[in-house]
């Protein structure tokens, strides 16, 4: 789609007005204030990094520097429009791929990761899902730290969430439970603003079927099972609310600096420490602003370095620093300094399929991403310039993300008896299904679709991330090991069977014309021989599965005295001083949700832990 110059300028102005940066944002290291010392250096300005930076900088005695590998998000208006998240923005992505995946028919898959200030919160689908209470209680049990329990993290949800009215939907009664939400936090959250044509059908089907599709007033209550409305991180004017827009804030701070285009290579020992098992303190960060040459800069934190590089970047930085499995490091040509074999292990991601069914309608979102005339009309509406009475900013389909409802399900008892239960508990789901009024991402040239996305949110498969030699900027070897555990493929088969049962509700009569290629028709699904159906499903799943972009676990936290894990419950790297990791890589298990909200929770608590420690020292 081509935007006119007038529209480009208008959106740029709206974006700048929405997110004036509190921090000074610099493009070049030489532009940083001369001679300035920093108490905290944060390696990564993504979802967690900017939240921590903002919270620490509220103490005027702390000086904070953020090093972000990507570009600044200020003035980048395409990421402001929520529905444009369905359009690939490769210039804002690391463009990484996996190794060959045996569970996916030896395919290599895309592995998205935000390459822009705000990280993945600047480019994700904006789903606001917290996970189950059992997810956080399991974190507490595994680490021996009650501070990670569901009851304990409510204070951090309150710091993060600012529930606001959606742009054009003044009545959200019956779509959420006000008692479980917060209205004084930092990140704007809203219910759906623009009605999809399938909304009433989805809810009617849930009412008709009941069971696992029974209505859940609020999937964010800690008990997510069932079908409910889907909140998203979108403000009251229909704009994305990200870590960058929310935590960089409005009030200027002279103690917070952000340097973009700064790719961290490693952390290095600054001094010896009597208080760490290795005898080392890691407080110096080495980074480059041009990876095509050998020019590196160094900056040293007087208090701590906080790595927020994400599930890929954080283990990569640690390994390049000599922190990891000593045998692996020696093989890569890196002198081992701290033997932590768990670095890069325990990679867990949620297998994902966007199942697109051909629908008997023309009232879908498909033309937004394939017809410039429709897209431009919708953009005019979103800008509030359509000339209609009551025009408001954020109106129309572009002010929303691609799903209005979401449902969570447990697998059958038969599957659990056969393979075990990989969820956090009996009130926690294994599967997620959400409907979308159109083809996910870029639709085919013709046809109108309804998507039923299926996700295995409590997977058994575990993979790894490791470096590919001694070049700190070489793309790492990413092996999520999708569908290598028998439970995951069996669970995805049950998810697809649930979709067919959902479409068997009478409200869908005549609505679905054809299934995705490789799947049987609605009538055939229930009449096929069980063996033939199972084989057809397995072939389809292995050929269609990709990432949900929810990887976790590669720098997992564990109990203080555990023989495994990488960070302690306070997120300090085991055996060293001056170094913490805060992002999704520290989750020992993936939450049953989209991971954005749990990352914010970890960042909020980490900031409290860090500030409290240094105020006591």
């Amino acid at each position: 789609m081509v935007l006119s110059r007038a529209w480009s300028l208008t959106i740029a102005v709206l974006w700048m007005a929405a997110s004036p940066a509190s921090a000074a944002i610099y493009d070049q290291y030489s532009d940083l204030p001369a001679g300035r010392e920093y108490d905290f250096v944060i390696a990564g300005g993504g979802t967690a990094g900017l939240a921590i930076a903002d919270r620490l900088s509220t103490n005027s005695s702390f000086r904070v520097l953020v090093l972000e590998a990507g570009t600044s998000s200020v003035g980048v208006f395409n990421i402001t429009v929520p529905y444009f998240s369905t359009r690939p923005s490769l210039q804002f992505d690391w463009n990484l791929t996996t190794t060959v995946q045996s569970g996916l028919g030896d395919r290599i898959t895309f592995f998205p990761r935000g390459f822009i200030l705000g990280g993945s919160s600047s480019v994700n689908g904006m789903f606001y899902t917290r996970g189950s209470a059992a997810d956080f209680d399991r974190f507490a049990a595994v680490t021996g730290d009650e501070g990670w329990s569901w009851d304990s993290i409510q204070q951090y949800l309150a710091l993060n969430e600012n529930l606001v009215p959606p742009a054009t939907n003044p009545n959200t009664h019956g779509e959420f439970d006000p008692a479980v939400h917060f209205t004084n936090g930092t990140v704007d959250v809203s219910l759906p603003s623009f009605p999809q044509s399938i909304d009433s059908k989805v809810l009617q089907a849930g009412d008709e079927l009941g069971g696992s599709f029974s209505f859940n007033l609020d999937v964010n209550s800690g008990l997510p099972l069932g079908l409910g409305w889907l909140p998203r991180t979108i403000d009251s004017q229909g704009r994305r609310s990200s870590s960058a827009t929310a935590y960089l804030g409005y009030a200027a701070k002279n103690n917070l600096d952000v340097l973009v285009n700064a790719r961290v290579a490693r952390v290095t020992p600054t001094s010896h420490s009597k208080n760490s098992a290795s005898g080392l303190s890691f407080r110096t960060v080495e980074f480059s602003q041009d990876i095509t040459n050998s020019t590196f800069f160094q900056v040293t934190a007087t208090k701590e370095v906080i790595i927020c590089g994400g599930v890929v970047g954080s283990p990569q930085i640690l390994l390049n620093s000599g922190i990891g499995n000593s045998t692996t490091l020696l093989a890569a040509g890196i002198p081992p300094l701290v033997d932590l074999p768990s670095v890069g292990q325990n990679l867990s991601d949620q297998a994902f399929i966007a199942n697109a069914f051909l629908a008997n309608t023309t009232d879908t979102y498909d033309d937004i991403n394939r017809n410039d005339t429709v897209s431009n009309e919708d953009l005019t509406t979103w800008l509030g310039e359509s000339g209609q009475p009551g025009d408001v900013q954020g109106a129309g389909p572009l002010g929303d993300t691609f799903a209005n409802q979401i449902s969570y399900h447990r697998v059958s008892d038969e599957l659990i008896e056969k393979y075990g239960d990989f969820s956090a508990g009996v009130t926690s789901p294994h599967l997620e299904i959400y409907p979308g009024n159109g083809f996910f991402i870029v639709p085919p040239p013709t046809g109108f679709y309804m998507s039923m996305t299926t996700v295995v949110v409590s997977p058994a498969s575990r993979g790894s991330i490791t470096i590919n030699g001694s070049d700190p900027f070489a793309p790492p070897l990413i092996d999520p090991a999708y569908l290598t555990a028998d439970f995951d493929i069996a669970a995805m088969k049950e998810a697809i069977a649930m979709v067919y049962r959902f479409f068997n509700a009478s409200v869908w009569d005549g609505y679905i014309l054809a299934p995705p290629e490789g799947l049987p028709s609605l009538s055939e699904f229930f009449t096929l021989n069980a063996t033939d159906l199972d084989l057809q499903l397995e072939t389809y799943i292995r050929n269609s599965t990709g990432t949900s972009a929810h990887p976790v676990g590669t720098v997992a936290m564990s109990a203080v005295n555990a023989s495994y894990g990488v960070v302690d419950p306070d997120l300090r790297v085991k055996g060293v001083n001056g170094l913490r990791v805060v992002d999704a890589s520290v989750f020992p298990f993936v939450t049953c949700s989209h991971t954005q909200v749990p990352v914010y929770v970890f960042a909020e608590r980490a900031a409290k832990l860090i500030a409290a420690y240094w105020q006591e020292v």
Side-chain angles (χ1 to χ4, degrees):
M1 174 192 160
V2 179
L3 301 178
S4 72
R5 174 176 171 78
W7 273 351
S8 297
L9 290 173
T10 301
I11 300 175
V13 168
L14 285 168
W15 171 251
M16 293 292 283
S19 58
S22 65
I25 299 178
Y26 300 94
D27 290 317
Q28 298 296 325
Y29 175 67
S30 58
D31 294 333
L32 288 172
R36 174 167 287 186
E37 290 188 345
Y38 296 98
D39 297 293
F40 302 98
V41 177
I42 299 174
T47 309
L50 294 184
I52 295 170
D54 174 62
R55 296 309 190 199
L56 291 178
S57 65
T58 59
N59 184 330
S60 60
S61 68
F62 291 160
R63 292 195 176 275
V64 182
L65 173 66
V66 177
L67 300 173
E68 165 55 34
T71 61
S72 173
S73 58
V74 177
V76 181
F77 54 80
N78 278 346
I79 63 174
T80 313
V81 185
Y83 196 79
F84 284 0
S85 65
T86 61
R87 298 179 175 181
S89 298
L90 298 182
Q91 70 271 38
F92 304 130
D93 198 280
W94 286 81
N95 296 310
L96 298 170
T97 55
T98 68
T99 58
V100 171
Q101 295 295 290
S102 61
L104 304 185
D106 292 335
R107 287 187 291 122
I108 292 172
T109 64
F110 186 56
F111 202 78
R113 178 179 170 225
F115 187 70
I116 189 171
L117 199 61
S120 294
S121 74
S122 290
V123 295
N124 64 11
M126 294 156 286
F127 286 20
Y128 181 89
T129 55
R130 298 170 175 171
S132 68
D135 282 329
F136 290 90
D137 290 342
R138 178 163 62 170
F139 289 164
V142 166
T143 62
D145 183 349
E146 191 61 23
W148 293 116
S149 70
W150 176 254
D151 287 344
S152 297
I153 62 98
Q154 295 304 305
Q155 60 184 301
Y156 306 113
L157 288 170
L159 287 170
N160 174 253
E161 183 188 19
N162 179 38
L163 187 68
V164 299
T168 58
N169 178 17
N171 182 14
T172 55
H173 178 73
E175 296 182 4
F176 74 108
D177 181 358
V180 301
H181 288 273
F182 303 96
T183 57
N184 292 304
T186 302
V187 175
D188 289 335
V189 176
S190 62
L191 275 298
S193 174
F194 185 77
Q196 294 188 4
S197 62
I198 58 173
D199 285 348
S200 61
K201 292 180 181 293
V202 169
L203 296 174
Q204 287 176 46
D207 287 342
E208 179 180 333
L209 295 171
S212 68
F213 283 102
S214 295
F215 183 69
N216 183 340
L217 177 60
D218 204 307
V219 297
N220 282 308
S221 66
L223 300 172
L225 293 171
L227 169 68
W229 290 90
L230 175 63
R232 62 285 315 277
T233 49
I234 298 175
D235 72 12
S236 59
Q237 291 183 277
R239 301 171 298 199
R240 175 191 294 272
S241 182
S242 69
S243 185
T245 64
Y247 283 98
L248 286 186
Y250 290 86
K253 297 177 181 177
N254 60 12
N255 63 334
L256 173 57
D257 294 334
V258 176
L259 179 63
V260 295
N261 307 312
R263 293 182 65 168
V264 172
R266 59 182 65 86
V267 290
T268 61
T270 306
S271 62
H272 288 277
S273 170
K274 296 180 181 179
N275 299 321
S276 67
S278 68
L280 297 173
S281 293
F282 286 78
R283 288 188 170 91
T284 297
V285 181
E286 189 169 278
F287 64 96
S288 175
Q289 293 204 275
D290 183 358
I291 64 172
T292 63
N293 62 38
S294 56
T295 301
F296 287 91
F297 303 99
Q298 288 189 339
V299 60
T300 298
T302 62
K303 290 182 170 63
E304 287 189 27
V305 170
I306 306 160
I307 298 177
C308 301
V311 75
V312 176
S314 289
Q316 188 176 17
I317 291 170
L318 291 175
L319 291 167
N320 283 315
S321 306
I323 303 173
N325 185 304
S326 295
T327 302
T328 301
L329 293 172
L330 284 170
I334 296 175
L337 299 178
V338 182
D339 186 31
L340 281 178
S342 294
V343 174
Q345 303 304 302
N346 192 49
L347 174 60
S348 178
D349 194 10
Q350 298 169 336
F352 166 103
I353 306 177
N355 308 283
F357 291 78
L358 186 66
N360 185 21
T361 182
T362 59
D363 191 6
T364 71
Y365 285 3
D366 292 296
D367 279 341
I368 295 174
N369 281 343
R370 69 184 178 194
N371 185 313
D372 284 350
T373 299
V374 171
S375 185
N376 287 338
E377 289 173 352
D378 287 337
L379 185 57
T380 300
T381 300
W382 181 85
L383 288 167
E385 296 179 354
S386 67
Q388 300 298 316
D391 274 353
V392 295
Q393 161 70 31
L398 300 190
D400 264 327
T401 189
F402 42 87
N404 279 359
Q405 298 85 26
I406 196 165
S407 62
Y408 289 103
H409 311 263
R410 303 244 331 144
V411 297
S412 65
D413 291 342
E414 179 185 5
L415 241 60
I416 293 173
E417 290 172 7
K418 184 174 183 179
Y419 298 111
D421 191 348
F422 298 95
S423 74
V426 295
T427 58
S428 196
H430 303 100
L431 303 171
E432 171 186 294
I433 302 173
Y434 57 85
N437 189 31
F439 197 96
F440 184 70
I441 309 294
V442 182
T446 59
F448 297 88
Y449 296 85
M450 178 177 173
S451 295
M452 288 290 283
T453 297
T454 51
V455 187
V456 179
V457 294
S458 298
S461 300
R462 294 293 184 272
S464 64
I465 290 176
T466 191
I467 52 177
N468 189 15
S470 59
D471 177 359
F473 301 125
L477 301 174
I478 303 171
D479 179 16
Y482 293 122
L483 304 183
T484 53
D486 291 339
F487 171 82
D488 294 356
I489 188 79
M492 187 64 85
K493 289 176 185 176
E494 286 203 355
I496 292 176
M498 288 177 185
V499 169
Y500 275 82
R501 287 201 296 273
F502 188 71
F503 281 141
N504 206 34
S506 60
V507 70
W508 301 111
D509 288 350
Y511 192 82
I512 300 299
L513 298 177
E517 184 177 356
L519 286 181
S521 68
L522 296 188
S523 59
E524 289 174 331
F525 187 91
F526 298 100
T527 58
L528 273 175
N529 172 278
T531 301
D532 292 341
L533 176 61
D534 188 73
L535 178 62
Q536 190 170 352
L537 287 178
E538 179 144 352
T539 301
Y540 170 80
I541 289 168
R542 294 199 187 279
N543 288 337
S544 305
T545 293
T547 177
S548 61
H550 301 150
V552 307
T554 52
V555 186
M557 65 177 181
S558 61
V560 172
N561 297 317
S563 60
Y564 64 94
V566 182
V567 298
D568 286 334
D570 61 3
L571 310 182
R572 298 176 195 246
V573 175
K574 293 177 180 289
V576 306
N577 269 355
L579 188 61
R580 297 192 206 224
V581 180
V582 188
D583 51 44
S585 72
V586 304
F587 297 4
F589 304 93
V590 65
T591 56
C592 66
S593 62
H594 296 237
T595 49
Q596 173 180 218
V597 181
V599 169
Y600 280 133
V601 166
F602 270 64
E604 292 282 7
R605 185 174 187 222
K608 287 272 191 180
L609 292 171
I610 295 165
Y613 175 81
W614 288 104
Q615 287 162 359
E616 293 171 1
V617 171

